[in-house]
Amino acid sequence: MTELAAVRREQLKPPVVDIGVIGWLHKNLFNTWYNSILTVCMVVVLGLLLPPLFKWAFVDSVWYSSAEACHDIDGACWSVIPHNIRFIIFGFFPEGQEWRPALAMFLLLALVVYSRKRSRWQSSLGCLWAVSLTVMGVLMYGGIFGMPVVETSQWSGLPLTLMLSFFGMVAAYPLGIMLAIGRRSRLPAIKSLCIVYIEMIRGVPLISLLFMSSIMFPLFLPEGISINKVLRAQVAIILFTAAYIAEVVRGGLQAMPRGQYEAAESLGLTYNQTLRLIILPQALKIVIPPTVGILLSAFKDTSLVVIIALYDVLKTTKVTLSNPKWTGCSTEAYIFLALLYFVFCYAMSSYSRRLEKELDTSY
Amino acid sequence: MNEREVETGVVKSGDPIIEIHGMHKWYGDFHVLSDINLEVQPREKIVICGPSGSGKSTLIRCINRLEEHQRGQIIVNGTELTNDIKNIEKVRAEVGMVFQHFNLFPHLTILENLTLGPIWVRKKSKKEAEATAMMYLEKVDIAEQAKKFPGQLSGGQQQRVAIARSLCMYPEVMLFDEPTSALDPEMIKEVLDVMIGLAEEGMTMLVVTHEMGFAKSVADRVMFMDDGEIVEQNRPDLFFDNPQHERTKLFLSQIL
């Protein structure tokens, strides 16, 4: 009886109109009359827009011409990128020394990529990071092994952008977590300190923080003592991002049911162990999507350092375009820059989605 | 447990493992527990029943300081519960607790749920902790699920894991806070069977439950609470056949 039923069920296939290309089209593009109209409109709009865009970018365009040749064509003048790539990427880093920031960036990215697997998160990886960061610092600053010293005022372009955002994120994340925990503390002094900090930082724009760090802060220092400008910008970015992280993490902490605390405490775990082993791993996982949102905007916000005269990759591009030879090519240069930012942002967001999936324990 | 006093049904023997003297607790102005006096002998099994809001859960949660009492004394295995956090952690490690909603750690595997306490609180090696954990998982008949996550188990299985998690700490006393009330009917038995097995091995148990069958067959003493007071306590046969107080009679007539 049951065997028969099983056989009969196996023979029943879904109706043909529901599967295959036609089924997909019907379900996704033409399932109602208004969706059909939308589909047709979109096809028309794309049909009008895409061919000219394609023609501009790929057919009428030039890739390696001189600046003068660009004036005579209708298409994109991509030549602006190869002609100026050295300055866009490395900015004022001394000529002939470009291999040093290039190697440092490569080391950083390679390590980030290597660290993506959770099974590799061990103390040996921590040592590897410590060593590599030192090597990167030596590469950038020089002064030994026959490498001439390059002052931080000459650090610019992509290395500067990557450095400000990498350290900004890496330092702001734990600081934000501590602020979030502090804000939930039972000790009134710690709690109010954290609230004041978070609300004050969130109440001002990043630009004003950068201004303060670069113009006002030195006024308070005793004569003769000065703190590096890049470092000051870096600290401002960290402090700013941490306040936002803190509020997101606090949301995650509040989402944790009381039963988790009680179960951990009734095993005899201390408060710190409860936080570290039970609460934070779950709370941080819940808030991965908004955290990544904040990290992405922190990454892009590093371009604001131009207002304190640091030359990040956006500013070096602008400088390139201020050369009269290339002024007409701003669209092309900015498209290139947009792609550059997009690659990093997309890598981060797709990694976060993978991490979420890995950490999913079907609860 | 040598002699039993028939009048009160209280087991009298050597030193009690839990002593509560004149204990009061308030939530704000609300008097949840009023003048609680209780002595629990080692190996004794006590079932606490009563209408909802009578303070029975709060009482056992005071015993491992998940709730704070404001007056009176609670002494667990020779340690008095005060604000001293070291004492509280010591008592919690000796007292196992099973919750209504299991409260397993969803981000850890079943095995990791069981080894967490032994490794971090008892400072056992990972290997030793895992051996103990597997032994108790065998005991609650769930060893084949060790590598799974709590979310992949049924409610009854999760509750059995929760019991095993407490047992891995080698507790002196086990507290059960309505362990079967969140379960589907067909899963209640598998959890009760584990608890009966535990009782037979001589574990000291305080159980808040509405399972009167369990109370009749396992308990040494049944306690009825209402309105934050212990109204009546007796041996189960006497408690069910011959309740002394009107409130007890009313309660029993409603649930039996």
Side-chain angles (χ1 to χ4, degrees):
Chain A
M1 178 66 197
T2 47
E3 248 173 66
L4 259 178
V7 169
R8 217 178 299 141
R9 203 171 302 150
E10 221 170 283
Q11 283 163 347
L12 271 178
K13 292 258 165 63
V16 186
V17 287
D18 280 357
I19 54 172
V21 181
I22 297 175
W24 186 89
L25 282 176
H26 185 256
K27 207 156 132 196
N28 292 290
L29 298 178
F30 299 99
N31 55 347
T32 56
W33 63 268
Y34 49 85
N35 271 355
S36 306
I37 291 176
L38 268 180
T39 303
V40 172
C41 288
M42 283 309 291
V43 168
V44 170
V45 168
L46 288 178
L48 287 175
L49 284 181
L50 281 184
L53 190 66
F54 184 82
K55 191 158 171 282
W56 174 80
F58 298 107
V59 181
D60 295 342
S61 57
V62 287
W63 295 80
Y64 293 105
S65 68
S66 65
E68 290 73 33
C70 278
H71 296 301
D72 307 328
I73 54 156
D74 294 332
C77 174
W78 298 114
S79 316
V80 63
I81 313 293
H83 271 282
N84 298 293
I85 192 73
R86 198 215 79 88
F87 188 77
I88 290 176
I89 298 294
F90 299 110
F92 297 110
F93 214 86
E95 300 265 352
Q97 300 291 323
E98 292 88 354
W99 62 273
R100 284 161 49 184
L103 189 59
M105 282 194 294
F106 174 78
L107 207 56
L108 180 71
L109 296 178
L111 257 183
V112 168
V113 171
Y114 179 79
S115 309
R116 76 193 185 284
K117 287 215 173 106
R118 282 194 308 138
S119 56
R120 293 178 184 152
W121 295 0
Q122 281 156 5
S123 51
S124 53
L125 185 64
C127 297
L128 189 61
W129 268 104
V131 171
S132 308
L133 288 175
T134 317
V135 171
M136 285 175 221
V138 169
L139 278 172
M140 289 298 287
Y141 192 76
I144 46 173
F145 305 123
M147 292 186 290
V149 170
V150 178
E151 292 295 337
T152 52
S153 54
Q154 288 173 287
W155 296 9
S156 39
L158 190 59
L160 183 69
T161 296
L162 287 186
M163 190 189 89
L164 287 176
S165 27
F166 176 78
F167 289 107
M169 292 186 237
V170 167
Y173 191 61
L175 183 59
I177 292 172
M178 281 193 280
L179 284 167
I181 293 170
R183 189 165 182 172
R184 289 165 57 87
S185 168
R186 267 181 232 155
L187 305 172
I190 293 180
K191 184 176 173 152
S192 36
L193 208 66
C194 290
I195 292 179
V196 168
Y197 174 85
I198 292 170
E199 296 307 334
M200 264 176 52
I201 298 281
R202 295 205 312 164
V204 296
L206 177 57
I207 294 195
S208 63
L209 268 186
L210 289 169
F211 260 131
M212 279 203 279
S213 76
S214 91
I215 294 161
M216 281 173 62
F217 183 62
L219 298 180
F220 297 111
L221 288 177
E223 203 130 348
I225 291 179
S226 71
I227 296 178
N228 187 294
K229 192 158 140 193
V230 177
L231 182 65
R232 275 182 278 145
Q234 181 76 79
V235 169
I237 289 171
I238 291 171
L239 296 182
F240 184 78
T241 310
Y244 284 83
I245 298 271
E247 283 300 274
V248 164
V249 171
R250 192 167 68 94
L253 290 175
Q254 274 170 350
M256 293 307 299
R258 219 177 124 206
Q260 290 292 308
Y261 288 95
E262 289 180 351
E265 281 167 9
S266 69
L267 282 175
L269 293 177
T270 64
Y271 177 71
N272 285 339
Q273 287 172 333
T274 304
L275 269 183
R276 187 160 51 90
L277 300 166
I278 306 299
I279 303 302
L280 281 178
Q282 296 182 66
L284 295 181
K285 190 201 109 185
I286 302 175
V287 296
I288 286 177
T291 307
V292 171
I294 287 169
L295 294 181
L296 285 178
S297 62
F299 176 65
K300 292 175 288 182
D301 283 352
T302 55
S303 54
L304 291 174
V305 295
V306 311
I307 60 136
I308 55 169
L310 289 177
Y311 283 69
D312 79 316
V313 71
L314 180 64
K315 181 64 177 173
T316 53
T317 309
K318 271 189 160 164
V319 170
T320 302
L321 293 172
S322 64
N323 180 343
K325 261 172 40 174
W326 299 106
T327 31
C329 302
S330 53
T331 314
E332 293 83 345
Y334 286 134
I335 286 178
F336 169 74
L337 208 57
L339 282 176
L340 193 68
Y341 272 102
F342 177 78
V343 167
F344 285 108
C345 290
Y346 186 75
M348 282 200 278
S349 81
S350 54
Y351 175 66
S352 82
R353 261 175 286 139
R354 210 181 81 170
L355 203 58
E356 265 180 85
K357 223 180 243 169
E358 265 178 40
L359 295 172
D360 181 33
T361 57
S362 68
Y363 213 72
Chain B
M1 267 188 295
N2 0 30
E3 43 179 302
R4 290 188 170 199
E5 214 172 297
V6 178
E7 288 78 23
T8 60
V10 177
V11 184
K12 293 261 174 181
S13 68
D15 291 331
I17 191 157
I18 300 174
E19 289 176 72
I20 302 179
H21 302 300
M23 188 261 276
H24 291 258
K25 171 165 180 65
W26 289 264
Y27 284 132
D29 280 340
F30 179 59
H31 204 169
V32 220
L33 291 175
S34 158
D35 194 28
I36 302 289
N37 290 286
L38 176 68
E39 287 194 356
V40 183
Q41 302 298 329
R43 305 170 74 84
E44 195 180 8
K45 295 117 191 73
I46 298 178
V47 165
I48 304 168
C49 61
S52 73
S54 58
K56 50 196 193 307
S57 285
T58 310
L59 170 60
I60 67 166
R61 287 161 61 86
C62 282
I63 293 174
N64 69 349
R65 196 70 167 190
L66 287 182
E67 304 283 353
E68 216 173 293
H69 61 280
Q70 280 99 10
R71 256 174 68 185
Q73 240 188 344
I74 301 179
I75 302 166
V76 181
N77 209 12
T79 309
E80 182 174 359
L81 285 171
T82 55
N83 279 327
D84 184 347
I85 189 73
K86 283 286 152 232
N87 277 351
I88 294 173
E89 279 161 11
K90 181 166 171 280
V91 166
R92 282 174 177 166
E94 288 167 358
V95 176
M97 177 115 186
V98 176
F99 299 88
Q100 183 178 3
H101 295 288
F102 333 133
N103 296 356
L104 296 178
F105 307 125
H107 63 301
L108 301 176
T109 64
I110 301 302
L111 190 62
E112 287 166 339
N113 264 278
L114 267 66
T115 55
L116 190 82
I119 290 175
W120 292 97
V121 180
R122 296 266 191 243
K123 312 290 178 204
K124 295 265 168 66
S125 72
K126 194 178 172 210
K127 215 177 142 198
E128 197 183 341
E130 282 182 354
T132 314
M134 286 314 291
M135 182 188 90
Y136 279 113
L137 281 180
E138 298 276 356
K139 198 166 154 180
V140 300
D141 202 18
I142 215 161
E144 70 281 6
Q145 317 273 25
K147 295 284 173 215
K148 288 195 181 166
F149 287 99
Q152 296 164 306
L153 269 54
S154 74
Q157 289 174 322
Q158 290 194 45
Q159 192 62 296
R160 284 185 281 150
V161 171
I163 294 173
R165 176 174 69 180
S166 291
L167 292 177
C168 282
M169 295 291 289
Y170 295 112
E172 304 280 339
V173 181
M174 286 281 285
L175 308 174
F176 292 84
D177 189 2
E178 307 205 22
T180 56
S181 0
L183 295 175
D184 290 335
E186 75 270 22
M187 292 169 185
I188 292 178
K189 187 173 175 299
E190 62 186 58
V191 171
L192 288 181
D193 284 346
V194 169
M195 290 167 63
I196 291 168
L198 208 55
E200 281 165 357
E201 282 167 28
M203 175 63 75
T204 311
M205 293 162 71
L206 271 82
V207 185
V208 173
T209 186
H210 300 291
E211 295 292 329
M212 290 304 134
F214 177 81
K216 278 176 191 163
S217 61
V218 176
D220 297 311
R221 178 163 31 144
V222 181
M223 219 162 84
F224 173 69
M225 286 184 72
D226 191 17
D227 213 11
E229 293 170 331
I230 300 176
V231 176
E232 180 169 352
Q233 45 183 324
N234 218 329
R235 266 168 40 192
D237 49 345
L238 297 175
F239 179 85
F240 288 107
D241 297 340
N242 190 17
Q244 301 296 307
H245 288 75
E246 280 310 313
R247 284 194 276 181
T248 319
K249 286 177 192 162
L250 181 69
F251 176 72
L252 288 175
S253 72
Q254 280 165 347
I255 61 159
L256 289 179

